[in-house]
Amino acid sequence: MKLHPLFLVALHSSAVFSSPFKVPYGRYTPRQATASWKPCFGPNLECTGLPVPLDYADPSAGAALLAIIRYKATGTRLGSLFLNPGGPGASGVKLIESAGRGFSELFGGQYDIIGWDPRGVNNSTPAINCFSAEVTENQMLSMIQNIRIEAGGSFTPRDAEALYSQVAYIDETLSTMYQACVASEGDNLRYVGTVANARDLISMADAIDGPGSPVNYWGMSAGTMIGTYFLNMFPSRAGKIILDSLMSSDAYSAKPPHLAIANRLTDAENTLDGFCFWCSKTTNICRIGQGKTAAEIKDDFFNILDVVYDFYPVGYTYSTEDIRTELYSYMYDPSTWIELAEQLLLLVQDLVKFGQSIGIMSKFKRDTFKGNFVPHLPTSIKPTLYENLPFLIKAKANLRNLLPLSRRSSSINPWVHLAILCGDTVNPDSTTTKNVLDEIVRLSQTSPLFGPIADWAEYFCHRWGSRAVERYSGPWYTTPANRVLVIGNKFDPATPLVNAQTMVQQLGSFAVLVTLNTFGHTSLITPSACVLKIIQSYLLRNQLPATNVECSLDQ
């Protein structure tokens, strides 16, 4: 059973500019009025590079180069549909390369399906990597890994004391990390960010569909911030805009970033309650739930954490933070809950074996560790959630690796994630590491299962000295040229429904909210025919329901 913290498992991302995106380009290449496409990667896919200003207010700063991909329309073309998978820092090129055909077929082939690597990401220039040598990067990651929170089923004063004892080490580590990034990237760190991405969206639409053309956009997760900024900065350019699983615009851009995690975790434990209920009702699959209520299953998680808390200091492989981080990652996608059930069995068996080896089995409580568990599930048990939506099976499988829909995703470069996220936020001013730890302690007491996790990038921003040359922090009330479709899952562990509800209140009659009555992160992770029909009606006929709608899953 492999467990690992989110932020530290990201693969080192290559910044080499691959041939499909090559165009005449240098730091001071002029802005390009049109896009010149060439075949790339597979059937019906085309790529291009588009020079855009590094700083739209200062042409002397030079140019960035955006790597763009499209799956061409196969039917009567209605325009372009831009997609962003979130992160921040996820690759839109990888999304369209993998799932462009599926999105196109969903809309009858009537759109060019377009993705791009935002500035700083993968194939775009500047690419933020911070470390040119893998050994140096690994050293930095190892230093960050040593920042830990250990807590059993409850967060105690002793746990808080251990956390506060790391203040000096955390300050030194985060400062070293930032200075290493500055030494590598220089002023490029100032030119990545969500305002720039919103302006780049306009530049791409102008070059591809013509100056002043309506912009059609589907943003998911952190990609909703690009859409939110775009709507408020360029309301007259709004075409068909879909915001799927919204982050809180106020928490993201107008408050100290370490305070944003409370919003992110709003429904995390409610989602875990959903797993526990499912487990109690499907004990042929979820063996750990045999003979137990949902409440008893949830209590077992606290028991497991108590045991790991005792075992880790005496040689057990995994820490309580490892367990919490991995458990949280499974909340993103209910179709992985069968896998989670199996992993829990293996974890329990491993703890029993370790406890026996060191002779402290008395640490075990109740019957959590006494079952006669079978380590592997019958091969006949398969998830059935997607059987009625065959094209999305491949798309969803790819999304799990390409998007930040799972915190276990390994495709996002952590350094560009930090540069964008921290660069978008308010100045750190007087925020100290102790202030950040105070918030972690508070969350650990109010959300004992998921509060004690230290690897959120937002906890690092107070020691990240660079901010984007242009930022936006509101207002969020606007009158767009077209109505907006806002989608939220009822129990989303990362972007709670309240964010979508707030957005719809801000837009008033210019938005409609579709609530998907399910668990998990984004509507695509648990697709519903009801939601997809609304999306199709919107994109193909510009029709939205008159009032807010609640959809259920197709099971």
Side-chain angles (χ1 to χ4, degrees):
M1 176 171 161
K2 192 173 189 301
L3 298 165
H4 46 258
L6 148 78
F7 184 71
L8 307 175
V9 300
L11 296 177
H12 188 71
S13 176
S14 172
V16 177
F17 220 72
S18 54
S19 57
F21 309 106
K22 281 186 177 178
V23 296
Y25 166 75
R27 175 77 182 236
Y28 296 98
T29 298
R31 190 170 179 174
Q32 191 168 306
T34 59
S36 178
W37 300 94
K38 64 183 70 174
C40 62
F41 299 124
N44 210 41
L45 290 169
E46 293 183 333
C47 294
T48 190
L50 184 71
V52 295
L54 272 175
D55 181 354
Y56 281 85
D58 180 13
S60 68
L65 186 62
L66 303 179
I68 309 171
I69 186 173
R70 71 176 177 184
Y71 189 90
K72 294 188 297 181
T74 57
T76 303
R77 186 178 182 276
L78 296 177
S80 299
L81 175 63
F82 294 88
L83 281 80
N84 182 275
S91 170
V93 168
K94 288 185 178 180
L95 172 64
I96 303 309
E97 178 188 357
S98 171
R101 177 181 176 181
F103 283 108
S104 177
E105 290 176 355
L106 180 61
F107 310 122
Q110 294 187 260
Y111 280 93
D112 287 342
I113 307 297
I114 298 181
W116 81 103
D117 286 350
R119 52 179 68 196
V121 177
N122 285 20
N123 296 293
S124 288
T125 300
I128 304 300
N129 291 304
C130 289
F131 297 93
S132 56
E134 184 176 351
V135 61
T136 307
E137 181 178 34
N138 288 340
Q139 290 171 348
M140 190 71 254
L141 291 174
S142 178
M143 290 176 66
I144 295 172
Q145 276 184 306
N146 289 331
I147 302 171
R148 304 203 63 85
I149 306 173
E150 290 305 317
S154 61
F155 193 81
T156 67
R158 184 179 73 169
D159 301 328
E161 182 181 353
L163 181 61
Y164 285 123
S165 71
Q166 301 177 68
V167 166
Y169 177 81
I170 294 171
D171 276 335
E172 179 183 0
T173 298
L174 297 187
S175 295
T176 299
M177 177 185 68
Y178 174 67
Q179 292 303 324
C181 218
V182 170
S184 171
E185 303 301 333
D187 67 352
N188 284 337
L189 297 176
R190 303 169 62 236
Y191 300 122
V192 297
T194 301
V195 170
N197 290 336
R199 294 193 183 279
D200 290 345
L201 186 56
I202 290 289
S203 293
M204 290 187 291
D206 286 348
I208 295 169
D209 290 330
S213 57
V215 177
N216 305 309
Y217 176 77
W218 186 349
M220 310 164 201
S221 191
T224 62
M225 292 310 305
I226 297 176
T228 300
Y229 280 34
F230 165 79
L231 282 172
N232 286 275
M233 293 169 62
F234 306 102
S236 65
R237 295 292 299 273
K240 303 173 185 74
I241 306 296
I242 303 173
L243 303 178
D244 187 342
S245 301
L246 277 87
M247 296 179 69
S248 167
S249 52
D250 187 53
Y252 182 81
S253 63
K255 294 180 179 179
H258 67 281
L259 300 179
I261 304 306
N263 173 268
R264 301 283 293 275
L265 293 178
T266 299
D267 283 329
E269 294 211 16
N270 291 333
T271 306
L272 181 63
D273 289 341
F275 168 82
C276 294
F277 178 81
W278 167 82
C279 183
S280 71
K281 300 298 182 184
T282 56
T283 53
N284 62 317
I285 299 174
C286 191
R287 306 295 179 88
I288 200 170
Q290 289 178 351
K292 298 177 184 177
T293 66
E296 289 172 334
I297 295 168
K298 187 172 183 178
D299 188 52
D300 285 343
F301 285 108
F302 292 100
N303 186 9
I304 289 170
L305 288 168
D306 284 337
V307 174
V308 173
Y309 184 76
D310 289 331
F311 284 4
Y312 183 62
V314 293
Y316 190 63
T317 305
Y318 306 117
S319 70
T320 59
E321 189 173 11
D322 293 334
I323 302 298
R324 283 183 165 93
T325 302
E326 188 76 353
L327 177 62
Y328 181 69
S329 76
Y330 278 105
M331 298 300 99
Y332 276 51
D333 182 357
S335 77
T336 67
W337 287 0
I338 293 177
E339 177 187 327
L340 172 58
E342 181 177 8
Q343 294 300 308
L344 287 171
L345 294 180
L346 296 175
L347 174 61
V348 166
Q349 291 178 327
D350 196 45
L351 287 169
V352 169
K353 182 179 179 180
F354 184 83
Q356 291 170 337
S357 73
I358 61 175
I360 56 172
M361 287 299 292
S362 61
K363 294 289 184 183
F364 296 115
K365 303 173 185 176
R366 291 205 352 258
D367 62 346
T368 303
F369 301 90
K370 297 179 181 177
N372 182 22
F373 297 118
V374 179
H376 298 290
L377 296 174
T379 56
S380 60
I381 298 175
K382 301 290 183 184
T384 59
L385 191 57
Y386 303 95
E387 287 181 352
N388 297 324
L389 300 160
F391 93 84
L392 277 174
I393 296 175
K394 180 181 179 182
K396 189 194 81 61
N398 288 318
L399 286 170
R400 192 179 304 154
N401 293 320
L402 299 176
L403 307 189
L405 300 181
S406 168
R407 280 173 56 94
R408 293 176 294 153
S409 170
S410 60
S411 65
I412 298 178
N413 182 328
W415 316 116
V416 69
H417 179 77
L418 267 174
I420 296 172
L421 190 150
C422 296
D424 279 342
T425 64
V426 297
N427 293 331
D429 296 329
S430 60
T431 300
T432 67
T433 294
K434 184 179 182 302
N435 296 148
V436 175
L437 299 188
D438 286 343
E439 178 64 5
I440 294 175
V441 169
R442 189 188 71 81
L443 286 177
S444 297
Q445 292 167 342
T446 59
S447 178
L449 280 175
F450 298 124
I453 295 176
D455 63 357
W456 290 96
E458 286 88 340
Y459 291 154
F460 300 171
C461 291
H462 68 293
R463 288 291 178 260
W464 187 268
S466 179
R467 293 299 185 267
V469 293
E470 187 179 7
R471 289 173 283 171
Y472 187 86
S473 58
W476 307 108
Y477 298 87
T478 187
T479 305
N482 195 32
R483 294 181 76 203
V484 177
L485 174 57
V486 178
I487 305 172
N489 288 356
K490 199 162 190 176
F491 299 104
D492 186 317
T495 55
L497 181 61
V498 66
N499 297 345
Q501 293 168 334
T502 299
M503 181 66 163
V504 171
Q505 290 172 358
Q506 290 169 338
L507 292 176
S509 62
F510 287 92
V512 65
L513 173 62
V514 174
T515 301
L516 180 54
N517 188 11
T518 190
F519 302 91
H521 185 47
T522 82
S523 66
L524 282 182
I525 212 70
T526 48
S528 156
C530 169
V531 173
L532 293 177
K533 286 176 182 177
I534 292 172
I535 294 173
Q536 288 171 327
S537 180
Y538 182 45
L539 288 175
L540 298 178
R541 295 178 291 278
N542 198 27
Q543 295 176 354
L544 282 174
T547 59
N548 297 339
V549 175
E550 182 167 316
C551 289
S552 60
L553 286 180
D554 315 298
Q555 293 189 39

